[in-house]
Amino acid sequence: MSARVLIVDDLYPNVRLLETKLSLEYFDVVVAMNGADALAICEKGACDVVLLDVMMPGMDGFEVCRRLKSNPVTAHLPVVIVTALDQPADRLRGLDAGADDFLTKPIDDTALMTRVRSLVRLKAVTDELRSRALATREIGGPDPLALAAADTGEGARILLVEDRPSAIDRIGTALSQHHQVTVETDPHRALVRAPEGGFDLALVSLDLEGFDGLRLCSQIRSLERTRNMALIMIGEMHEKARITRGLDFGVNDYLLRPIDRNELIARVRTQVRRRRFSETLRGALQASMELAITDDLTGLHNRRYLDRHLGPVFGEAALQQKGLACLLLDIDRFKSINDTYGHEAGDEVLRAFAERIRQYVRPMDILARYGGEEIVMVVPGAELPDARAIAERIRERIEATPFAIEGGTRDIGVTVSVGVSVRRTTDTGPADLLKRADTALYRAKSSGRNRVEAAAA
């Protein structure tokens, strides 16, 4: 797996040693000899993972890490602190600064490469989300990177899979101050519970009684609903080989017994923040996709959505020789509503008009704003009698109940004309279906409005 690894260290021999090891594993290496240069390289997007020394003149590694993690442009970059400092307080400072891991020299090469490869995979997924979610900036949405980077990593729902009473007590007590912790001692029940609990993170003991905790991690990672859940393994010092396997298939992090309380809190916070970072980007992406296919005023699908989806629906109906109906609905004398009561009143009518029609739509139907005050409804499986009946029910409903305007202080009567068509075997595409519905609508308008006209089947 090729990726760009930034080594930040002010001692050339250290840089050269790491560079040689990484190159042998086919990583591209970028070097910075001080914190300022490292920040500049990261802001340019010139690396995928940062290996960061602590003891540097000017700006130490802790400060570099804090700045990277507080900047929305670089907050997603994985950072591994690699240092000779070996005290628990040093490791905690690094994790509190936002580092994804803290490795003490001399470095275990297998552990280092496994961690780098794991973070590179995570970075690749995040990069895809970032690039697509940034489209929200172009359509006037909030900056998704700033929103994602602002999360504190607290208030998470955490699933603890552990069967040692003493460990449950210590871990639960430490985490419950900042999170909601659910304990499950049975791994089989945990696998059922994980997809249903809306958890941000799962802590899984590797040495559960009569069950392989690593297999449970693998099963959680393979389920669709828990695929993006953060996972932390809890293991013993002699289980390093199993921990390496877990990192290889996608477990995010690990803790070794005896668990340091502060390190537990810091690692959980880091993984929760990273998970929420990705979820915020996914949400921004989904919002941008919805905006791209949704009409702002009515909340219905727009013409772009109709053009994209009508073709496949038409093709499937033709292939299966099933009915397909098209209803084109147009508010009668809509211009006079705008002219008499104002465009704001016209918008109120149009929104309410769309909402009333929506009540007649099934999940497989297409309902879209066609243009102006026209709405198109496509009904798979419907023949002409069915389509006419639907159109008549809508027409009667529109006429029977006045529309509220001016903030609900006034009611006006509204009617609708509907043109109906159904697919013919001679149709060459959905444009023929729409054209006949439009012709039928014109007849309804010409014949006095407030009526349904259908093209001959």
Side-chain angles (χ1 to χ4, degrees):
M1 177 183 296
S2 181
R4 298 162 298 175
V5 179
L6 171 62
I7 301 173
V8 189
D9 199 315
D10 64 322
L11 297 178
Y12 183 75
N14 293 346
V15 171
R16 185 62 181 153
L17 179 62
L18 276 175
E19 185 176 16
T20 300
K21 291 179 178 180
L22 291 164
S23 296
L24 288 173
E25 296 292 329
Y26 303 101
F27 291 107
D28 295 328
V29 176
V30 185
V31 174
M33 306 296 287
N34 58 69
D37 288 348
L39 293 174
I41 290 170
C42 293
E43 287 180 359
K44 292 177 183 176
C47 64
D48 298 301
V49 176
V50 182
L51 300 184
L52 180 61
D53 186 35
V54 172
M55 306 302 292
M56 296 184 295
M59 188 189 311
D60 67 19
F62 296 133
E63 180 61 23
V64 173
C65 188
R66 273 191 291 270
R67 294 193 185 191
L68 287 174
K69 293 300 183 178
S70 63
N71 184 348
V73 176
T74 57
H76 68 292
L77 279 175
V79 177
V80 179
I81 290 181
V82 181
T83 178
L85 300 177
D86 60 357
Q87 295 302 307
D90 298 318
R91 182 163 55 251
L92 182 59
R93 283 187 68 191
L95 296 171
D96 277 340
D100 294 85
D101 208 347
F102 188 103
L103 301 180
T104 303
K105 298 175 183 177
I107 301 298
D108 180 294
D109 291 351
T110 300
L112 174 63
M113 297 308 165
T114 299
R115 174 55 89 186
V116 170
R117 282 192 290 267
S118 172
L119 292 173
V120 165
R121 287 193 296 268
L122 180 64
K123 167 71 161 42
V125 174
T126 306
D127 279 350
E128 178 67 17
L129 288 172
R130 287 178 74 248
S131 63
R132 297 173 67 184
L134 283 174
T136 57
R137 283 178 172 172
E138 301 173 7
I139 56 177
D143 184 345
L145 296 189
L147 289 174
D151 191 88
T152 62
E154 296 190 354
R157 291 178 58 85
I158 295 175
L159 175 64
L160 172 60
V161 187
E162 174 64 89
D163 54 13
R164 300 183 184 185
S166 59
I168 292 172
D169 182 62
R170 287 195 303 272
I171 296 172
T173 300
L175 294 179
S176 60
Q177 298 177 32
H178 307 283
H179 309 284
Q180 180 181 338
V181 181
T182 299
V183 177
E184 185 53 74
T185 58
D186 185 330
H188 299 284
R189 287 201 299 266
L191 189 60
V192 174
R193 203 166 187 176
E196 300 174 350
F199 297 106
D200 296 290
L201 179 144
L203 283 158
V204 179
S205 173
L206 294 186
D207 51 353
L208 297 164
E209 182 69 29
F211 197 90
D212 183 354
L214 196 59
R215 182 171 297 280
L216 176 60
C217 290
S218 175
Q219 292 169 331
I220 289 174
R221 184 57 80 229
S222 67
L223 294 174
E224 179 67 29
R225 292 174 63 185
T226 55
R227 186 162 296 160
N228 298 315
M229 180 192 297
L231 269 176
I232 297 180
M233 302 173 280
I234 303 173
E236 305 281 355
M237 184 67 72
H238 66 269
E239 295 179 300
K240 282 290 188 71
R242 297 180 70 208
I243 289 170
T244 297
R245 289 179 62 191
L247 293 174
D248 270 339
F249 68 66
V251 177
N252 301 95
D253 204 353
Y254 64 93
L255 286 156
L256 295 178
R257 303 183 199 271
I259 297 172
D260 179 86
R261 176 184 181 279
N262 293 323
E263 183 176 349
L264 165 68
I265 293 171
R267 289 189 183 274
V268 165
R269 181 173 60 243
T270 294
Q271 293 306 323
V272 169
R273 289 191 67 190
R274 184 170 284 282
R275 195 256 183 184
R276 288 177 176 172
F277 187 96
S278 296
E279 290 303 303
T280 300
L281 296 185
R282 287 190 179 91
L285 173 60
Q286 183 63 35
S288 68
M289 292 172 63
E290 289 292 332
L291 286 172
I293 60 173
T294 303
D295 175 63
D296 289 342
L297 178 61
T298 63
L300 302 179
H301 290 307
N302 58 19
R303 183 69 177 268
R304 182 185 295 110
Y305 179 92
L306 176 68
D307 292 342
R308 184 182 304 168
H309 288 78
L310 182 54
V313 170
F314 182 91
E316 183 178 357
L319 182 65
Q320 298 182 1
Q321 297 185 345
K322 290 185 176 180
L324 180 66
C326 176
L327 282 64
L328 192 56
L329 307 102
D330 185 86
I331 297 175
D332 294 328
R333 298 184 174 88
F334 186 73
K335 184 177 182 299
S336 67
I337 295 175
N338 284 329
D339 292 344
T340 304
Y341 304 104
H343 288 277
E344 189 172 325
D347 289 347
E348 289 179 288
V349 168
L350 193 51
R351 280 192 292 266
F353 178 61
E355 190 56 40
R356 291 191 193 182
I357 298 173
R358 201 196 303 268
Q359 298 174 23
Y360 293 90
V361 175
R362 305 168 302 172
M364 69 283 291
D365 298 338
I366 296 176
L367 188 64
R369 187 177 180 185
Y370 195 61
E373 66 274 18
E374 291 183 339
I375 291 176
V376 65
M377 181 176 175
V378 179
V379 189
E383 300 293 353
L384 191 57
D386 308 310
R388 286 196 66 121
I390 295 170
E392 281 291 351
R393 284 199 296 272
I394 294 174
R395 185 198 65 76
E396 292 171 359
R397 173 74 182 276
I398 297 299
E399 182 183 26
T401 307
F403 283 64
I405 61 171
E406 298 175 358
T409 62
R410 187 170 190 169
D411 290 339
I412 60 172
V414 175
T415 61
V416 62
S417 297
V418 189
V420 178
S421 66
V422 293
R423 185 186 66 82
R424 295 176 180 173
T425 56
T426 55
D427 285 345
T428 59
D432 296 335
L433 184 70
L434 286 168
K435 184 177 181 180
R436 286 198 304 279
D438 188 59
T439 301
L441 175 61
Y442 180 79
R443 285 205 311 272
K445 293 284 189 181
S446 301
S447 302
R449 298 183 176 84
N450 190 24
R451 59 188 295 121
V452 174
E453 289 286 343

